[in-house]
Amino acid sequence: MMKLSKMHVLVSLAIVQMTAMAQEAAQAPAGQMEVVTVTAQRRAENIRDVPVSVSAIKAEKLDILLSGGQDIRVLAGKTPSLNVESSTGRVFPRFYIRGYGNADFAVFASQPVSLIYDDVVQENPILKGYPMFDLANVEVLRGPQGTLFGRNTPAGVVKFESAKPSLRGVEGFYNVSYATNNTVNLEAAANVPLSKEWALRVSTLRQHRDDYVDNTFTGQKDAMEGYNEHAERVQVLYQPNGTFNTLFNVHQRKTTGSSRLFRANIIKKGTNTFVDGFDPEKIAINGQEGQELKTQGANMRMSWDLGAHKLYSITGYETVAKYNSRGDIDGGNPADFPAVPFQVETAAFVPDIKQYSQEFRVESKYTGPMNWQAGVYYFDEKAVAGQDNFNVAGTRTTRVKSQQKNEAWALFGSVNYAVSDAFTLRGGLRYTEDKKDFDTLETIGTTLVGPKSVSESKDKVNWDLSGTYKLSNDVSAYARYATGFRAPSIAAASTSVPITVADAETITSIEAGVKADLWNRRARATLSVYDYDVKNQQLTVVGGNSNVTKLVNAAKTKGRGIEGEIEGFITNDFKVSASASYNFTEIRDPSLSVNKCAQCTVQDPINASGRVVIDGNALPQAPKWIVNLNARYNYPLAEGNLFVVTDWSYRSKVNFFLYEAVEFTGAPMTEGGLRVGYNWSGGKYEVAAFARNITDQRRITGAIDFNNLTGFVNEPRQFGVQFKGSF
């Protein structure tokens, strides 16, 4: 495996090479890369000057990814070191950065990747699935980000920023596509100045797909895999002068449709491929399935320009008003017995989740070498959720309903100091207190094991230190040392497992990199290497002969890797980009073991208790390799432009669970897209035909291990047409 010393050599060589390339750059006034501005350090900065491994996704790339009605999981593998998956479909995504994430599917689950939408932390996993529409940009910040950002960010941050209202004038767009299985995707926005001081922006999303999977057990055609989604956002800007502004944001989401389809015994014994004759458009289940979700939220962001300082206030309120997700977890029916050893049908439900957050932050605007920012953050959440189990007749047999109250607050600050014109130091500090109170509110048909209530409290100081050195006007190198923290997590009791608690986890991370504009800004390249240690990493033990989950801590987890991105113009009309990441993760805890699966071929040692020893295994859903290739060719015409765009992403194999088993190892996956179109009137109108997963490669992307060889699969090939217009 690649050691850190070797990584340092790679960085040094890359710095020398990029510096030479930049200094030898030929003059090329046309086809230059635009300057990418990010807010990774809570200030607007050129991405080249930020001492963090960060990727930005915006404009056409976002449009291409979302053209066929995809949800937030479409970001998986689209930037280095990022994976997104779900065993609950569109409504409950799980994020992983540099292999570091959480596979827990419980409503109370905590994730080490923080999702921030319009400066407000979306803490509950259900909130993290809010659709992407009318966005200004998406930023993926890798590595611990706890000094400046909200909560639970030891792995990194995925940051969304909506397009904002403007006083410039009336403007907007509409974007509609129609694709396979009557998939309709409609996105639209309108910006309307109401006066010299007020502006309104209204954005909407409508998505639909017909059911297309037959249930061969009931004989119903086109029974499942459809969805209906709509989301709205209304923003109002008040800007009476150049020193003060307020941005109000109200948004909601409503989703109905199929839950994730669990397909019994689709994995061939002794392999990680489909059984012979598998048809992804057919399933045989006897249970009920489906999901419904409604979320609402509002935030208010205010800023005051006080000359040498700027003051910010960010108030956020998010709520899950309704959530029900019911699935036939065994993935089969009684007619398959003994292939389906026992019937399991469950439903997760949420009657209420409320989250309130408040941040006050002040930043300096000095003209000298030093600038700083500092703030205070408060978070309060109350969540009520539970799980029902059902028998073959569809009658509820058991219920466990719980409540979690989570209160946290933090003080934070950072300082930038320009030691010279070329060298800048940055340092940050954050103190956090976090408290959780967990109570079992109701049990039906089951006797609670262990205590009914649990309380956990933790405080922690985290810090980071980084330096950026400009090797030339076009090339900079950086190094960063950072720590991170995730508060204790609590898992609800089940029919046979008591409430379990995972202690707080901490991370220590070191990374270094180089960022360069090349050939007179005709190209841009980045390279970063990293090494991290996680102490007491929170892991979720799922299944293993029974339908239960519980939390454990691993003594230590190691991670290291390398990430690179390059994009540029081959000619003024031909643009290409490529990125790749290598992520190595390893659990280091000889004492940690888990229950094994019912029917799979385990590859790890079995201890005297018949449990699987997971020491030395990679983390779940952590591919070693992620690779992306993209190209766009533009052919100018008198009245407009013809264009062809293609994008390809690859991820290597992944473990679905903490142990390694032949059947529960996801095979490598490659997905490609193609888009051919024409735009005219200066880009005001555009029509295009597109295809997603163009090779129709089908893969098992997740599994259920306690019952049989049950799995779920990726999205099928999709063809469609799209029309866009702006005004």
Side-chain angles (χ1 to χ4, degrees), residues 12-52:
S12 300
L13 291 174
I15 291 172
V16 173
Q17 184 178 16
M18 288 184 175
T19 303
M21 293 169 72
Q23 291 172 346
E24 295 172 3
Q27 296 298 315
Q32 287 188 336
M33 301 293 298
E34 66 174 4
V35 175
V36 176
T37 301
V38 296
T39 55
Q41 300 285 285
R42 305 299 297 272
R43 299 174 183 263
E45 296 177 280
N46 188 323
I47 194 171
R48 190 186 63 202
D49 300 328
V50 177
V52 172

mmCIF file of all heavy atoms in Angstrom, residues 12-52:
data_model
loop_
_atom_site.group_PDB
_atom_site.id
_atom_site.type_symbol
_atom_site.label_atom_id
_atom_site.label_comp_id
_atom_site.label_asym_id
_atom_site.label_seq_id
_atom_site.Cartn_x
_atom_site.Cartn_y
_atom_site.Cartn_z
ATOM 1 N N SER A 12 5.655 16.421 -4.362
ATOM 2 C CA SER A 12 6.811 17.219 -4.774
ATOM 3 C C SER A 12 7.012 17.169 -6.281
ATOM 4 O O SER A 12 7.252 18.199 -6.928
ATOM 5 C CB SER A 12 8.072 16.705 -4.060
ATOM 6 O OG SER A 12 7.927 16.795 -2.667
ATOM 7 N N LEU A 13 6.906 15.977 -6.850
ATOM 8 C CA LEU A 13 7.049 15.848 -8.302
ATOM 9 C C LEU A 13 5.956 16.602 -9.025
ATOM 10 O O LEU A 13 6.200 17.259 -10.048
ATOM 11 C CB LEU A 13 7.014 14.369 -8.683
ATOM 12 C CG LEU A 13 8.213 13.520 -8.242
ATOM 13 C CD1 LEU A 13 7.967 12.052 -8.556
ATOM 14 C CD2 LEU A 13 9.493 14.001 -8.912
ATOM 15 N N ALA A 14 4.717 16.516 -8.491
ATOM 16 C CA ALA A 14 3.607 17.212 -9.148
ATOM 17 C C ALA A 14 3.798 18.719 -9.095
ATOM 18 O O ALA A 14 3.487 19.435 -10.054
ATOM 19 C CB ALA A 14 2.289 16.819 -8.475
ATOM 20 N N ILE A 15 4.305 19.234 -7.983
ATOM 21 C CA ILE A 15 4.541 20.672 -7.867
ATOM 22 C C ILE A 15 5.541 21.142 -8.914
ATOM 23 O O ILE A 15 5.334 22.135 -9.614
ATOM 24 C CB ILE A 15 5.036 21.023 -6.443
ATOM 25 C CG1 ILE A 15 3.888 20.825 -5.433
ATOM 26 C CG2 ILE A 15 5.559 22.445 -6.389
ATOM 27 C CD1 ILE A 15 4.339 20.953 -3.999
ATOM 28 N N VAL A 16 6.638 20.390 -9.028
ATOM 29 C CA VAL A 16 7.657 20.771 -10.015
ATOM 30 C C VAL A 16 7.084 20.746 -11.425
ATOM 31 O O VAL A 16 7.276 21.676 -12.211
ATOM 32 C CB VAL A 16 8.873 19.816 -9.896
ATOM 33 C CG1 VAL A 16 9.854 20.082 -11.024
ATOM 34 C CG2 VAL A 16 9.553 19.988 -8.558
ATOM 35 N N GLN A 17 6.335 19.663 -11.733
ATOM 36 C CA GLN A 17 5.797 19.525 -13.086
ATOM 37 C C GLN A 17 4.774 20.615 -13.388
ATOM 38 O O GLN A 17 4.802 21.229 -14.457
ATOM 39 C CB GLN A 17 5.148 18.153 -13.254
ATOM 40 C CG GLN A 17 4.644 17.894 -14.673
ATOM 41 C CD GLN A 17 4.054 16.515 -14.797
ATOM 42 O OE1 GLN A 17 3.756 15.866 -13.806
ATOM 43 N NE2 GLN A 17 3.868 16.064 -16.014
ATOM 44 N N MET A 18 3.862 20.884 -12.455
ATOM 45 C CA MET A 18 2.829 21.877 -12.704
ATOM 46 C C MET A 18 3.418 23.280 -12.808
ATOM 47 O O MET A 18 2.970 24.104 -13.593
ATOM 48 C CB MET A 18 1.765 21.830 -11.605
ATOM 49 C CG MET A 18 0.889 20.610 -11.683
ATOM 50 S SD MET A 18 -0.408 20.659 -10.440
ATOM 51 C CE MET A 18 -1.351 19.192 -10.884
ATOM 52 N N THR A 19 4.429 23.548 -11.992
ATOM 53 C CA THR A 19 5.074 24.859 -12.079
ATOM 54 C C THR A 19 5.691 25.055 -13.452
ATOM 55 O O THR A 19 5.534 26.114 -14.081
ATOM 56 C CB THR A 19 6.160 24.985 -10.994
ATOM 57 O OG1 THR A 19 5.558 24.762 -9.721
ATOM 58 C CG2 THR A 19 6.795 26.357 -11.027
ATOM 59 N N ALA A 20 6.389 24.032 -13.943
ATOM 60 C CA ALA A 20 6.996 24.142 -15.270
ATOM 61 C C ALA A 20 5.948 24.327 -16.354
ATOM 62 O O ALA A 20 6.100 25.147 -17.254
ATOM 63 C CB ALA A 20 7.833 22.889 -15.547
ATOM 64 N N MET A 21 4.860 23.579 -16.260
ATOM 65 C CA MET A 21 3.802 23.678 -17.265
ATOM 66 C C MET A 21 3.187 25.068 -17.265
ATOM 67 O O MET A 21 2.904 25.643 -18.323
ATOM 68 C CB MET A 21 2.728 22.624 -16.989
ATOM 69 C CG MET A 21 3.210 21.195 -17.191
ATOM 70 S SD MET A 21 2.038 19.980 -16.558
ATOM 71 C CE MET A 21 0.739 20.124 -17.775
ATOM 72 N N ALA A 22 2.972 25.611 -16.070
ATOM 73 C CA ALA A 22 2.369 26.937 -15.993
ATOM 74 C C ALA A 22 3.300 28.006 -16.539
ATOM 75 O O ALA A 22 2.883 28.930 -17.231
ATOM 76 C CB ALA A 22 2.000 27.245 -14.539
ATOM 77 N N GLN A 23 4.606 27.890 -16.246
ATOM 78 C CA GLN A 23 5.553 28.899 -16.702
ATOM 79 C C GLN A 23 5.755 28.855 -18.207
ATOM 80 O O GLN A 23 6.073 29.863 -18.835
ATOM 81 C CB GLN A 23 6.884 28.699 -15.977
ATOM 82 C CG GLN A 23 6.808 29.048 -14.491
ATOM 83 C CD GLN A 23 8.069 28.675 -13.744
ATOM 84 O OE1 GLN A 23 8.905 27.929 -14.246
ATOM 85 N NE2 GLN A 23 8.206 29.191 -12.539
ATOM 86 N N GLU A 24 5.544 27.657 -18.824
ATOM 87 C CA GLU A 24 5.718 27.531 -20.259
ATOM 88 C C GLU A 24 4.404 27.728 -21.012
ATOM 89 O O GLU A 24 4.307 27.480 -22.202
ATOM 90 C CB GLU A 24 6.274 26.134 -20.585
ATOM 91 C CG GLU A 24 7.668 25.908 -20.024
ATOM 92 C CD GLU A 24 8.097 24.465 -20.188
ATOM 93 O OE1 GLU A 24 7.330 23.681 -20.790
ATOM 94 O OE2 GLU A 24 9.186 24.119 -19.714
ATOM 95 N N ALA A 25 3.369 28.189 -20.317
ATOM 96 C CA ALA A 25 2.054 28.287 -20.938
ATOM 97 C C ALA A 25 2.072 29.242 -22.116
ATOM 98 O O ALA A 25 2.627 30.325 -22.069
ATOM 99 C CB ALA A 25 1.041 28.768 -19.904
ATOM 100 N N ALA A 26 1.441 28.786 -23.201
ATOM 101 C CA ALA A 26 1.314 29.630 -24.390
ATOM 102 C C ALA A 26 0.129 30.568 -24.226
ATOM 103 O O ALA A 26 -0.814 30.286 -23.503
ATOM 104 C CB ALA A 26 1.121 28.744 -25.619
ATOM 105 N N GLN A 27 0.193 31.690 -24.915
ATOM 106 C CA GLN A 27 -0.885 32.658 -24.868
ATOM 107 C C GLN A 27 -2.079 32.131 -25.660
ATOM 108 O O GLN A 27 -1.941 31.691 -26.790
ATOM 109 C CB GLN A 27 -0.411 33.993 -25.447
ATOM 110 C CG GLN A 27 0.698 34.649 -24.640
ATOM 111 C CD GLN A 27 0.246 34.980 -23.232
ATOM 112 O OE1 GLN A 27 -0.848 35.499 -23.025
ATOM 113 N NE2 GLN A 27 1.092 34.679 -22.259
ATOM 114 N N ALA A 28 -3.241 32.166 -25.072
ATOM 115 C CA ALA A 28 -4.459 31.693 -25.732
ATOM 116 C C ALA A 28 -5.635 32.452 -25.163
ATOM 117 O O ALA A 28 -6.239 32.032 -24.185
ATOM 118 C CB ALA A 28 -4.618 30.200 -25.533
ATOM 119 N N PRO A 29 -5.965 33.614 -25.740
ATOM 120 C CA PRO A 29 -7.011 34.457 -25.164
ATOM 121 C C PRO A 29 -8.388 33.820 -25.175
ATOM 122 O O PRO A 29 -9.210 34.122 -24.323
ATOM 123 C CB PRO A 29 -6.969 35.706 -26.046
ATOM 124 C CG PRO A 29 -6.332 35.256 -27.326
ATOM 125 C CD PRO A 29 -5.368 34.202 -26.930
ATOM 126 N N ALA A 30 -8.670 32.928 -26.142
ATOM 127 C CA ALA A 30 -9.981 32.288 -26.204
ATOM 128 C C ALA A 30 -9.935 30.949 -25.493
ATOM 129 O O ALA A 30 -8.874 30.353 -25.308
ATOM 130 C CB ALA A 30 -10.398 32.103 -27.657
ATOM 131 N N GLY A 31 -11.124 30.460 -25.077
ATOM 132 C CA GLY A 31 -11.221 29.149 -24.458
ATOM 133 C C GLY A 31 -10.564 29.048 -23.108
ATOM 134 O O GLY A 31 -10.038 27.994 -22.750
ATOM 135 N N GLN A 32 -10.580 30.099 -22.316
ATOM 136 C CA GLN A 32 -9.970 30.052 -20.997
ATOM 137 C C GLN A 32 -10.947 29.498 -19.965
ATOM 138 O O GLN A 32 -12.166 29.619 -20.097
ATOM 139 C CB GLN A 32 -9.509 31.447 -20.575
ATOM 140 C CG GLN A 32 -8.286 31.950 -21.308
ATOM 141 C CD GLN A 32 -7.761 33.237 -20.707
ATOM 142 O OE1 GLN A 32 -8.490 33.987 -20.074
ATOM 143 N NE2 GLN A 32 -6.481 33.498 -20.908
ATOM 144 N N MET A 33 -10.402 28.898 -18.917
ATOM 145 C CA MET A 33 -11.218 28.401 -17.808
ATOM 146 C C MET A 33 -11.725 29.581 -16.991
ATOM 147 O O MET A 33 -10.988 30.536 -16.724
ATOM 148 C CB MET A 33 -10.389 27.486 -16.907
ATOM 149 C CG MET A 33 -9.797 26.276 -17.612
ATOM 150 S SD MET A 33 -11.040 25.102 -18.152
ATOM 151 C CE MET A 33 -11.757 24.630 -16.582
ATOM 152 N N GLU A 34 -12.966 29.504 -16.593
ATOM 153 C CA GLU A 34 -13.495 30.547 -15.721
ATOM 154 C C GLU A 34 -12.933 30.386 -14.314
ATOM 155 O O GLU A 34 -12.546 29.287 -13.899
ATOM 156 C CB GLU A 34 -15.020 30.485 -15.672
ATOM 157 C CG GLU A 34 -15.554 29.227 -15.019
ATOM 158 C CD GLU A 34 -17.056 29.233 -14.842
ATOM 159 O OE1 GLU A 34 -17.696 30.194 -15.306
ATOM 160 O OE2 GLU A 34 -17.585 28.286 -14.249
ATOM 161 N N VAL A 35 -12.866 31.469 -13.570
ATOM 162 C CA VAL A 35 -12.426 31.421 -12.185
ATOM 163 C C VAL A 35 -13.532 30.782 -11.350
ATOM 164 O O VAL A 35 -14.694 31.185 -11.421
ATOM 165 C CB VAL A 35 -12.104 32.826 -11.653
ATOM 166 C CG1 VAL A 35 -11.770 32.777 -10.166
ATOM 167 C CG2 VAL A 35 -10.941 33.429 -12.427
ATOM 168 N N VAL A 36 -13.187 29.755 -10.585
ATOM 169 C CA VAL A 36 -14.159 29.072 -9.733
ATOM 170 C C VAL A 36 -14.038 29.624 -8.320
ATOM 171 O O VAL A 36 -12.972 29.563 -7.699
ATOM 172 C CB VAL A 36 -13.926 27.553 -9.727
ATOM 173 C CG1 VAL A 36 -14.881 26.869 -8.761
ATOM 174 C CG2 VAL A 36 -14.094 26.995 -11.128
ATOM 175 N N THR A 37 -15.131 30.182 -7.839
ATOM 176 C CA THR A 37 -15.173 30.742 -6.494
ATOM 177 C C THR A 37 -15.920 29.787 -5.577
ATOM 178 O O THR A 37 -17.012 29.319 -5.906
ATOM 179 C CB THR A 37 -15.873 32.111 -6.497
ATOM 180 O OG1 THR A 37 -15.159 33.001 -7.361
ATOM 181 C CG2 THR A 37 -15.906 32.701 -5.102
ATOM 182 N N VAL A 38 -15.337 29.481 -4.428
ATOM 183 C CA VAL A 38 -15.957 28.594 -3.455
ATOM 184 C C VAL A 38 -15.987 29.272 -2.098
ATOM 185 O O VAL A 38 -15.285 30.266 -1.863
ATOM 186 C CB VAL A 38 -15.206 27.246 -3.363
ATOM 187 C CG1 VAL A 38 -15.278 26.493 -4.669
ATOM 188 C CG2 VAL A 38 -13.757 27.459 -2.946
ATOM 189 N N THR A 39 -16.804 28.714 -1.203
ATOM 190 C CA THR A 39 -16.901 29.254 0.157
ATOM 191 C C THR A 39 -16.506 28.190 1.176
ATOM 192 O O THR A 39 -17.100 28.070 2.237
ATOM 193 C CB THR A 39 -18.330 29.765 0.433
ATOM 194 O OG1 THR A 39 -19.258 28.697 0.164
ATOM 195 C CG2 THR A 39 -18.666 30.951 -0.445
ATOM 196 N N ALA A 40 -15.507 27.414 0.825
ATOM 197 C CA ALA A 40 -15.055 26.327 1.691
ATOM 198 C C ALA A 40 -14.564 26.828 3.042
ATOM 199 O O ALA A 40 -14.590 26.091 4.029
ATOM 200 C CB ALA A 40 -13.950 25.538 0.991
ATOM 201 N N GLN A 41 -14.090 28.076 3.099
ATOM 202 C CA GLN A 41 -13.610 28.664 4.353
ATOM 203 C C GLN A 41 -14.543 29.765 4.850
ATOM 204 O O GLN A 41 -14.134 30.668 5.579
ATOM 205 C CB GLN A 41 -12.200 29.239 4.157
ATOM 206 C CG GLN A 41 -11.160 28.207 3.725
ATOM 207 C CD GLN A 41 -10.740 27.312 4.864
ATOM 208 O OE1 GLN A 41 -9.992 27.707 5.759
ATOM 209 N NE2 GLN A 41 -11.220 26.074 4.841
ATOM 210 N N ARG A 42 -15.829 29.683 4.430
ATOM 211 C CA ARG A 42 -16.880 30.619 4.811
ATOM 212 C C ARG A 42 -16.666 32.013 4.233
ATOM 213 O O ARG A 42 -17.350 32.962 4.598
ATOM 214 C CB ARG A 42 -17.030 30.715 6.348
ATOM 215 C CG ARG A 42 -17.259 29.407 7.060
ATOM 216 C CD ARG A 42 -18.535 28.709 6.604
ATOM 217 N NE ARG A 42 -19.746 29.437 6.868
ATOM 218 C CZ ARG A 42 -20.447 29.365 8.002
ATOM 219 N NH1 ARG A 42 -20.018 28.579 8.980
ATOM 220 N NH2 ARG A 42 -21.553 30.034 8.160
ATOM 221 N N ARG A 43 -15.710 32.176 3.328
ATOM 222 C CA ARG A 43 -15.498 33.393 2.560
ATOM 223 C C ARG A 43 -15.439 33.016 1.097
ATOM 224 O O ARG A 43 -15.023 31.914 0.746
ATOM 225 C CB ARG A 43 -14.168 34.079 2.928
ATOM 226 C CG ARG A 43 -14.003 34.532 4.372
ATOM 227 C CD ARG A 43 -12.588 35.048 4.566
ATOM 228 N NE ARG A 43 -12.289 35.439 5.931
ATOM 229 C CZ ARG A 43 -12.347 36.687 6.382
ATOM 230 N NH1 ARG A 43 -12.703 37.663 5.560
ATOM 231 N NH2 ARG A 43 -12.040 36.967 7.631
ATOM 232 N N ALA A 44 -15.837 33.926 0.223
ATOM 233 C CA ALA A 44 -15.719 33.682 -1.212
ATOM 234 C C ALA A 44 -14.250 33.794 -1.617
ATOM 235 O O ALA A 44 -13.627 34.847 -1.442
ATOM 236 C CB ALA A 44 -16.569 34.676 -1.996
ATOM 237 N N GLU A 45 -13.688 32.689 -2.144
ATOM 238 C CA GLU A 45 -12.284 32.653 -2.522
ATOM 239 C C GLU A 45 -12.106 31.871 -3.818
ATOM 240 O O GLU A 45 -12.895 30.975 -4.132
ATOM 241 C CB GLU A 45 -11.446 31.981 -1.433
ATOM 242 C CG GLU A 45 -11.410 32.704 -0.105
ATOM 243 C CD GLU A 45 -10.612 31.928 0.918
ATOM 244 O OE1 GLU A 45 -11.156 30.981 1.499
ATOM 245 O OE2 GLU A 45 -9.431 32.258 1.127
ATOM 246 N N ASN A 46 -11.044 32.199 -4.538
ATOM 247 C CA ASN A 46 -10.650 31.396 -5.686
ATOM 248 C C ASN A 46 -10.310 29.990 -5.192
ATOM 249 O O ASN A 46 -9.573 29.817 -4.221
ATOM 250 C CB ASN A 46 -9.428 32.041 -6.364
ATOM 251 C CG ASN A 46 -9.062 31.372 -7.671
ATOM 252 O OD1 ASN A 46 -9.165 30.160 -7.826
ATOM 253 N ND2 ASN A 46 -8.605 32.158 -8.623
ATOM 254 N N ILE A 47 -10.855 28.972 -5.867
ATOM 255 C CA ILE A 47 -10.653 27.598 -5.431
ATOM 256 C C ILE A 47 -9.171 27.231 -5.348
ATOM 257 O O ILE A 47 -8.766 26.400 -4.543
ATOM 258 C CB ILE A 47 -11.401 26.635 -6.383
ATOM 259 C CG1 ILE A 47 -11.493 25.230 -5.759
ATOM 260 C CG2 ILE A 47 -10.761 26.594 -7.762
ATOM 261 C CD1 ILE A 47 -12.396 24.293 -6.531
ATOM 262 N N ARG A 48 -8.343 27.904 -6.135
ATOM 263 C CA ARG A 48 -6.903 27.628 -6.139
ATOM 264 C C ARG A 48 -6.230 28.064 -4.846
ATOM 265 O O ARG A 48 -5.187 27.529 -4.455
ATOM 266 C CB ARG A 48 -6.255 28.349 -7.325
ATOM 267 C CG ARG A 48 -4.809 27.962 -7.596
ATOM 268 C CD ARG A 48 -4.234 28.847 -8.681
ATOM 269 N NE ARG A 48 -4.207 30.239 -8.282
ATOM 270 C CZ ARG A 48 -4.162 31.279 -9.117
ATOM 271 N NH1 ARG A 48 -4.171 31.061 -10.421
ATOM 272 N NH2 ARG A 48 -4.126 32.509 -8.670
ATOM 273 N N ASP A 49 -6.834 29.038 -4.131
ATOM 274 C CA ASP A 49 -6.201 29.586 -2.935
ATOM 275 C C ASP A 49 -6.681 28.946 -1.640
ATOM 276 O O ASP A 49 -6.214 29.315 -0.560
ATOM 277 C CB ASP A 49 -6.462 31.097 -2.865
ATOM 278 C CG ASP A 49 -5.904 31.847 -4.069
ATOM 279 O OD1 ASP A 49 -4.865 31.396 -4.599
ATOM 280 O OD2 ASP A 49 -6.516 32.847 -4.488
ATOM 281 N N VAL A 50 -7.605 28.002 -1.734
ATOM 282 C CA VAL A 50 -8.191 27.404 -0.535
ATOM 283 C C VAL A 50 -7.391 26.172 -0.123
ATOM 284 O O VAL A 50 -7.206 25.251 -0.924
ATOM 285 C CB VAL A 50 -9.668 27.015 -0.792
ATOM 286 C CG1 VAL A 50 -10.252 26.331 0.427
ATOM 287 C CG2 VAL A 50 -10.475 28.242 -1.171
ATOM 288 N N PRO A 51 -6.909 26.110 1.129
ATOM 289 C CA PRO A 51 -6.075 24.979 1.568
ATOM 290 C C PRO A 51 -6.907 23.768 1.983
ATOM 291 O O PRO A 51 -6.727 23.195 3.065
ATOM 292 C CB PRO A 51 -5.316 25.577 2.755
ATOM 293 C CG PRO A 51 -6.263 26.569 3.330
ATOM 294 C CD PRO A 51 -6.998 27.160 2.167
ATOM 295 N N VAL A 52 -7.830 23.375 1.140
ATOM 296 C CA VAL A 52 -8.712 22.236 1.383
ATOM 297 C C VAL A 52 -8.898 21.515 0.058
ATOM 298 O O VAL A 52 -8.981 22.148 -1.002
ATOM 299 C CB VAL A 52 -10.086 22.705 1.930
ATOM 300 C CG1 VAL A 52 -11.064 21.538 2.002
ATOM 301 C CG2 VAL A 52 -9.937 23.337 3.306
#
